PDB file of all heavy atoms in Angstrom:
ATOM      1  N   ALA A 415     115.561  96.641 115.114  1.00  0.00           N
ATOM      2  CA  ALA A 415     116.274  97.469 116.094  1.00  0.00           C
ATOM      3  C   ALA A 415     116.529  96.584 117.396  1.00  0.00           C
ATOM      4  O   ALA A 415     117.604  96.679 117.922  1.00  0.00           O
ATOM      5  CB  ALA A 415     115.431  98.681 116.481  1.00  0.00           C
ATOM      6  N   VAL A 416     115.495  95.944 117.780  1.00  0.00           N
ATOM      7  CA  VAL A 416     115.680  94.992 118.995  1.00  0.00           C
ATOM      8  C   VAL A 416     116.781  93.966 118.776  1.00  0.00           C
ATOM      9  O   VAL A 416     117.653  93.743 119.587  1.00  0.00           O
ATOM     10  CB  VAL A 416     114.413  94.337 119.382  1.00  0.00           C
ATOM     11  CG1 VAL A 416     114.623  93.339 120.535  1.00  0.00           C
ATOM     12  CG2 VAL A 416     113.381  95.466 119.760  1.00  0.00           C
ATOM     13  N   ASN A 417     116.767  93.325 117.531  1.00  0.00           N
ATOM     14  CA  ASN A 417     117.751  92.323 117.255  1.00  0.00           C
ATOM     15  C   ASN A 417     119.223  92.980 117.453  1.00  0.00           C
ATOM     16  O   ASN A 417     120.102  92.341 117.965  1.00  0.00           O
ATOM     17  CB  ASN A 417     117.551  91.832 115.827  1.00  0.00           C
ATOM     18  CG  ASN A 417     116.459  90.886 115.699  1.00  0.00           C
ATOM     19  OD1 ASN A 417     115.901  90.447 116.740  1.00  0.00           O
ATOM     20  ND2 ASN A 417     115.982  90.548 114.449  1.00  0.00           N
ATOM     21  N   ARG A 418     119.364  94.215 117.013  1.00  0.00           N
ATOM     22  CA  ARG A 418     120.709  94.767 117.017  1.00  0.00           C
ATOM     23  C   ARG A 418     120.937  95.141 118.585  1.00  0.00           C
ATOM     24  O   ARG A 418     122.190  94.875 118.823  1.00  0.00           O
ATOM     25  CB  ARG A 418     120.688  96.185 116.063  1.00  0.00           C
ATOM     26  CG  ARG A 418     121.022  95.925 114.707  1.00  0.00           C
ATOM     27  CD  ARG A 418     121.373  97.284 114.156  1.00  0.00           C
ATOM     28  NE  ARG A 418     120.527  98.345 114.531  1.00  0.00           N
ATOM     29  CZ  ARG A 418     119.382  98.617 113.889  1.00  0.00           C
ATOM     30  NH1 ARG A 418     118.987  97.971 112.815  1.00  0.00           N
ATOM     31  NH2 ARG A 418     118.661  99.723 114.225  1.00  0.00           N
ATOM     32  N   THR A 419     120.151  95.682 119.198  1.00  0.00           N
ATOM     33  CA  THR A 419     120.470  96.189 120.547  1.00  0.00           C
ATOM     34  C   THR A 419     120.537  94.954 121.459  1.00  0.00           C
ATOM     35  O   THR A 419     121.555  95.044 122.379  1.00  0.00           O
ATOM     36  CB  THR A 419     119.217  96.979 120.998  1.00  0.00           C
ATOM     37  OG1 THR A 419     118.921  98.023 120.057  1.00  0.00           O
ATOM     38  CG2 THR A 419     119.532  97.601 122.364  1.00  0.00           C
ATOM     39  N   LEU A 420     119.854  93.854 121.308  1.00  0.00           N
ATOM     40  CA  LEU A 420     119.896  92.763 122.307  1.00  0.00           C
ATOM     41  C   LEU A 420     120.723  91.487 121.747  1.00  0.00           C
ATOM     42  O   LEU A 420     120.937  90.680 122.469  1.00  0.00           O
ATOM     43  CB  LEU A 420     118.496  92.288 122.764  1.00  0.00           C
ATOM     44  CG  LEU A 420     117.745  93.278 123.510  1.00  0.00           C
ATOM     45  CD1 LEU A 420     116.408  92.652 123.999  1.00  0.00           C
ATOM     46  CD2 LEU A 420     118.540  93.703 124.817  1.00  0.00           C
ATOM     47  N   GLY A 421     120.999  91.538 120.439  1.00  0.00           N
ATOM     48  CA  GLY A 421     121.439  90.336 119.819  1.00  0.00           C
ATOM     49  C   GLY A 421     120.334  89.280 119.820  1.00  0.00           C
ATOM     50  O   GLY A 421     120.450  88.163 120.272  1.00  0.00           O
ATOM     51  N   ALA A 422     119.146  89.811 119.404  1.00  0.00           N
ATOM     52  CA  ALA A 422     117.926  88.892 119.584  1.00  0.00           C
ATOM     53  C   ALA A 422     117.730  88.266 118.144  1.00  0.00           C
ATOM     54  O   ALA A 422     118.281  88.640 117.181  1.00  0.00           O
ATOM     55  CB  ALA A 422     116.729  89.791 120.006  1.00  0.00           C
ATOM     56  N   SER A 423     116.743  87.358 118.152  1.00  0.00           N
ATOM     57  CA  SER A 423     116.472  86.584 116.873  1.00  0.00           C
ATOM     58  C   SER A 423     115.062  86.730 116.355  1.00  0.00           C
ATOM     59  O   SER A 423     114.534  85.802 115.796  1.00  0.00           O
ATOM     60  CB  SER A 423     116.711  84.995 117.241  1.00  0.00           C
ATOM     61  OG  SER A 423     115.733  84.658 118.216  1.00  0.00           O
ATOM     62  N   PHE A 424     114.534  87.980 116.573  1.00  0.00           N
ATOM     63  CA  PHE A 424     113.154  88.102 116.024  1.00  0.00           C
ATOM     64  C   PHE A 424     113.163  88.120 114.404  1.00  0.00           C
ATOM     65  O   PHE A 424     114.048  88.544 113.833  1.00  0.00           O
ATOM     66  CB  PHE A 424     112.654  89.589 116.318  1.00  0.00           C
ATOM     67  CG  PHE A 424     112.030  89.610 117.693  1.00  0.00           C
ATOM     68  CD1 PHE A 424     112.721  90.463 118.773  1.00  0.00           C
ATOM     69  CD2 PHE A 424     110.858  89.106 117.980  1.00  0.00           C
ATOM     70  CE1 PHE A 424     112.194  90.521 120.002  1.00  0.00           C
ATOM     71  CE2 PHE A 424     110.276  89.226 119.270  1.00  0.00           C
ATOM     72  CZ  PHE A 424     110.969  89.846 120.303  1.00  0.00           C
ATOM     73  N   GLU A 425     112.026  87.411 113.936  1.00  0.00           N
ATOM     74  CA  GLU A 425     111.961  87.444 112.389  1.00  0.00           C
ATOM     75  C   GLU A 425     110.761  88.386 112.140  1.00  0.00           C
ATOM     76  O   GLU A 425     109.530  87.984 112.399  1.00  0.00           O
ATOM     77  CB  GLU A 425     111.665  86.030 111.948  1.00  0.00           C
ATOM     78  CG  GLU A 425     112.925  85.157 111.961  1.00  0.00           C
ATOM     79  CD  GLU A 425     112.684  83.723 111.489  1.00  0.00           C
ATOM     80  OE1 GLU A 425     111.755  83.503 110.587  1.00  0.00           O
ATOM     81  OE2 GLU A 425     113.337  82.902 111.996  1.00  0.00           O
TER      82      GLU A 425
END
Side-chain angles (χ1 to χ4, degrees):
V416 173
N417 285 348
R418 272 198 315 274
T419 306
L420 291 184
S423 65
F424 279 110
E425 286 175 32

